[in-house]
Amino acid sequence: MTLREDTFRRADGSGGVYGVVDKPDYALVVALEGDRLAMVEQYRYPLRLRRWEFPQGTAPDRAEMPAQELAARELREETGLTAATWTYLGLLDVAPGLSSQRGRAFLATDLAAGAPEREASEADMRFAWLTRAEFEDRARRGEITDAQTLAAYTLLLLRSS
């Protein structure tokens, strides 16, 4: 991750400064088995809270990895699941007003269970299945607040409609 400050000229000729966070792109996985969604919960330091999310991530050493391959790796690492069928759901911009980071969301189906292969920073991670109704109820109550997770769920709903 890098933080930079760019100076620029607006169309009207006035100057400005933009703070930008550059991070590698990431992959996010909506793993679906019947009516159940695979979710992970982990501590998010900037919020000082534990948050439920869809499996997702990247790392500098994986910046050039194809998005679907990264998605498969993140799913296996965080949940132990592998998928026989992958469907691209769409592109997500994390925070386009301050970051260049973009994500690709995938639907993973035809799942097989295995042992997670978590990184040291994910040692406290929990994995659980939520039905769609449980997911939506938790989102309504403000228990699922990760913007990427909520956006990916919306892409899933749009694909299903």
Side-chain angles (χ1 to χ4, degrees):
M1 176 178 78
T2 61
L3 176 61
R4 62 184 163 84
E5 201 170 75
D6 295 345
T7 57
F8 66 95
R9 286 264 165 242
R10 295 183 182 91
D12 68 2
S14 65
V17 177
Y18 227 107
V20 179
V21 177
D22 288 314
K23 289 185 74 171
D25 288 352
Y26 71 96
L28 178 148
V29 184
V30 179
L32 183 64
E33 184 177 76
D35 191 39
R36 301 184 315 157
L37 300 159
M39 304 289 297
V40 293
E41 184 208 43
Q42 63 184 316
Y43 182 74
R44 290 301 192 180
Y45 178 83
L47 297 176
R48 307 280 202 271
L49 297 167
R50 295 188 65 80
R51 299 285 82 188
W52 283 99
E53 309 167 352
F54 287 134
Q56 59 188 288
T58 192
D61 65 329
R62 301 180 205 154
E64 302 305 318
M65 183 181 286
Q68 185 176 317
E69 187 178 325
L70 177 59
R73 183 172 172 160
E74 289 298 319
L75 181 64
R76 185 180 62 254
E77 280 182 1
E78 295 183 7
T79 68
L81 297 170
T82 56
T85 305
W86 290 89
T87 305
Y88 180 69
L89 291 175
L91 180 65
L92 302 171
D93 291 330
V94 174
L98 68 96
S99 178
S100 64
Q101 188 178 41
R102 306 185 94 187
R104 272 100 185 141
F106 292 89
L107 172 63
T109 55
D110 300 317
L111 303 170
E117 301 169 12
R118 296 186 182 124
E119 298 170 358
S121 63
E122 300 168 331
D124 70 334
M125 184 177 279
R126 293 178 18 195
F127 164 62
W129 289 100
L130 296 182
T131 66
R132 285 183 176 210
E134 290 169 328
F135 178 97
E136 291 176 10
D137 188 49
R138 287 184 183 198
R140 274 188 214 95
R141 291 193 318 252
E143 294 174 18
I144 296 175
T145 59
D146 176 59
Q148 290 71 241
T149 293
L150 295 169
Y153 188 71
T154 300
L155 290 173
L156 177 68
L157 294 176
L158 291 171
R159 186 183 175 283
S160 302
S161 61

